Amino acid sequence: MTTHPQPYSSARRWLILGVLCLPLLVTVIAATVLNVALPELTERLGSSAVQSLWIVDSYSLVLAGLLVAGGTLADRVGRKRALLIGCALFGAVSVAAAFAGSAPELIAARVALGASAALIMPSTLSVLRNVFTDQRELGRAVAVWTAVGAAGAAAGPVAGGLLVEHFGWQAAFWSAAPAAALCLLFVAMFVPESRGYREGKWDVLSALLSLGGIVGVVYAVKEAKEGMSAVTFAALAAGVVLLVVFVRRQRRLPHPLLDLTLFADRRFTVGAVCVLLGMFVQFGPMYFLSQRFQLIQGYGPMAAGAALAPMMLAVLLATPVSTRLMARFGLRSTLVAGFGTAIAGLLVLAAAPASAGYWPLGLGLAVLGLGAGIAVIAATTTLMQVAPPERAGGAAAVQETGYELGAALGVAILGSLMNLAYQAGMPDLTGVPTAVQHAARDSLAAATHAADSLGGTPGADLLSHAHHAFLDGLTVIHLACAGLLALAAIAAHALLRTSPETKSTDTPVSTH
């Protein structure tokens, strides 16, 4: 039986939104807080290039794999209860992460944090769907929720830089524990309980299939930079098979973990894909631009975090822009406009010369963030508006899966592309030992360390070639993202041409 949303005063509704934004901030900041800590982690923990990718990406990867399971579980046991459990686990694991003494230990802690966040993030959005029953007000609430998430993503590198620079990388986790405790208190005091679809049993096997499938595919993408070994190919094949089995199982089950009928509405499907692509083109380049700022332009961790802020802060500006575009022109035109703007930002980044200062990069980041933000906000609002309230947990899980999987795939796929371009751009240098050159080809951070150890003219030559190879790789990444968004804009325009119009007495969600 579905629990129908109870009436709340306007002040109470917006207070609930404010409280829900607190755990959202904590979990989103955790996704980006270590982006500027990679050079220190490489030095302190001796992490390789692949391990560094996993330290950053394992959180988003596990979160993406478990969001559907977490969202539908919250529908059954209660969304407030899921929030409380998730916040408690998040705080406890954050303390454990601060004691990690090696890269594998830190990766394991990030995996546990991702699992905790999978109970938190979809619950925040599904509670909103049940508290805000007016479609116009729901649209504004979802836009605020998205903007707060973007602000958290922007605050992550800045907060991470501040903490790493003054207290070490462990402080990023020590600070998360009291924040999670504060969330626990406020959720307990102010958030109402609600439940959704509860018929049948919660399918554990489906949860394991979705997690295993996503992990297998992304693991293969990450390892592909070293070549398609037997292990890499097996991981890819296993991931694809598990995802296929997951989809087939959802179609057969009378009470599936993920209701695939949500995707019968073309707007829902297009919206989910656009959320994924919007996060893909933001988080992938951001990961490598952080390294450019620190290892090439000499920024400290805090300055590097602040340098990334324009991209995410532009999403705050995108919130009212996207809302107005949706109201006037509809989903299709808003998506095309958003992706077109993001493409312009990527082209500015790709055209910035190696000798460019910060401002061309800052401009490109801001334009990219504005365009991607317009598209993601429009897609997120549509996902929640077309889903019935009793399926809010599943719809929220799909949105959050697109968000986190887009971020994880952005780092993984573009990371593999960057490594291929970087290694191809590193020539054999005379006067530099073969072992040193081999180490330098692993990553820019490794090349910087090798050049410092080598010293003299050979070290300077090695570092110069590493810088040029890395910058060439960045250009390839930006152009690849621009091409991907161009294809996505064309596809969205074509697919939504004949999609039905969703109308309400309060606000239309058209597809024109």
Side-chain angles (χ1 to χ4, degrees):
M1 173 183 280
T2 300
T3 301
H4 294 283
Q6 298 182 13
Y8 301 101
S9 67
S10 177
R12 177 72 189 279
R13 290 194 298 273
W14 292 101
L15 173 63
I16 292 170
L17 171 61
V19 171
L20 292 173
C21 286
L22 294 177
L24 172 66
L25 272 174
V26 172
T27 52
V28 171
I29 287 174
T32 58
V33 72
L34 293 183
N35 281 11
V36 296
L38 291 177
E40 177 170 328
L41 289 170
T42 300
E43 180 181 351
R44 302 288 184 184
L45 300 181
S47 59
S48 66
V50 172
Q51 286 177 327
S52 295
L53 285 175
W54 278 106
I55 288 172
V56 171
D57 221 8
S58 56
Y59 174 85
S60 296
L61 177 59
V62 173
L63 177 54
L66 290 177
L67 275 169
V68 171
T72 53
L73 181 62
D75 277 349
R76 295 169 180 272
V77 305
R79 292 147 185 163
K80 178 177 181 176
R81 181 181 298 179
L83 275 169
L84 293 172
I85 294 172
C87 289
L89 290 175
F90 197 94
V93 175
S94 294
V95 173
F99 288 101
S102 65
E105 289 178 7
L106 184 55
I107 291 170
R110 293 278 286 173
V111 166
L113 284 172
S116 304
L119 286 173
I120 298 173
M121 294 188 77
S123 298
T124 62
L125 195 52
S126 56
V127 168
L128 283 188
R129 180 64 179 88
N130 282 266
V131 169
F132 291 89
T133 56
D134 177 271
Q135 289 294 304
R136 183 189 298 269
E137 201 174 43
L138 174 63
R140 291 198 297 267
V142 171
V144 170
W145 181 92
T146 305
V148 169
V158 178
L162 176 64
L163 293 169
V164 169
E165 198 166 301
H166 294 284
F167 306 105
W169 65 266
Q170 295 93 337
F173 297 102
W174 284 121
S175 60
L182 190 64
C183 293
L184 195 67
L185 175 63
F186 285 156
V187 168
M189 292 174 60
F190 298 111
V191 174
E193 183 61 280
S194 66
R195 291 180 173 86
Y197 190 77
R198 301 180 66 188
E199 295 183 15
K201 294 181 178 180
W202 187 76
D203 190 29
V204 177
L205 179 57
S206 292
L208 295 176
L209 286 171
S210 65
L211 175 62
I214 291 174
V215 170
V217 170
V218 178
Y219 173 84
V221 171
K222 285 179 177 292
E223 297 294 329
K225 75 180 188 69
E226 302 293 345
M228 287 299 291
S229 65
V231 174
T232 303
F233 183 80
L236 177 62
V240 171
V241 169
L242 289 175
L243 290 175
V244 170
V245 172
F246 170 78
V247 171
R248 292 176 63 88
R249 183 173 178 82
Q250 303 317 293
R251 289 176 174 172
R252 292 198 309 267
L253 290 175
H255 307 292
L257 189 69
L258 175 61
D259 184 6
L260 297 180
T261 61
L262 289 170
F263 293 93
D265 190 320
R266 189 174 294 178
R267 293 161 303 170
F268 190 93
T269 302
V270 171
V273 174
C274 287
V275 168
L276 186 150
L277 291 176
M279 303 316 299
F280 182 100
V281 300
Q282 290 183 78
F283 277 81
M286 184 173 68
Y287 174 86
F288 296 102
L289 284 169
S290 171
Q291 296 180 56
R292 171 177 178 162
F293 290 137
Q294 292 184 79
L295 298 175
I296 295 180
Q297 298 187 216
Y299 291 14
M302 183 177 176
L308 294 170
M311 180 170 67
M312 293 304 179
L313 293 178
V315 179
L316 298 176
L317 177 60
T319 300
V321 174
S322 181
T323 302
R324 291 175 182 175
L325 288 175
M326 281 282 288
R328 183 168 182 178
F329 300 107
L331 177 62
R332 184 178 66 179
S333 297
T334 303
L335 289 176
V336 172
F339 282 157
T341 304
I343 290 170
L346 287 164
L347 293 179
V348 170
L349 290 171
S355 59
Y358 172 71
W359 292 111
L361 300 175
L363 174 62
L365 285 168
V367 176
L368 170 59
L370 176 64
I374 289 172
V376 170
I377 290 169
T380 298
T381 302
T382 301
L383 285 176
M384 299 312 298
Q385 285 180 331
V386 301
E390 64 272 14
R391 296 290 188 183
V398 170
Q399 189 277 344
E400 290 291 351
T401 299
Y403 188 104
E404 297 299 332
L405 189 57
L409 287 175
V411 175
I413 293 176
L414 296 180
S416 295
L417 183 60
M418 164 59 82
N419 286 326
L420 290 172
Y422 173 76
Q423 291 171 3
M426 287 291 287
D428 292 329
L429 299 176
T430 57
V432 179
T434 303
V436 174
Q437 293 193 53
H438 180 75
R441 286 191 175 94
D442 184 65
S443 66
L444 180 59
T448 302
H449 179 72
D452 289 342
S453 301
L454 194 60
T457 301
D461 289 343
L462 176 63
L463 188 60
S464 176
H465 281 92
H467 284 180
H468 282 94
F470 186 85
L471 292 173
D472 288 344
L474 267 180
T475 299
V476 170
I477 282 176
H478 295 145
L479 292 177
C481 288
L484 179 64
L485 287 188
L487 293 175
I490 294 171
H493 188 273
L495 290 172
L496 294 175
R497 184 184 300 274
T498 58
S499 183
E501 201 174 342
T502 297
K503 293 183 177 180
S504 113
T505 56
D506 300 298
T507 181
V509 183
S510 73
T511 59
H512 294 311

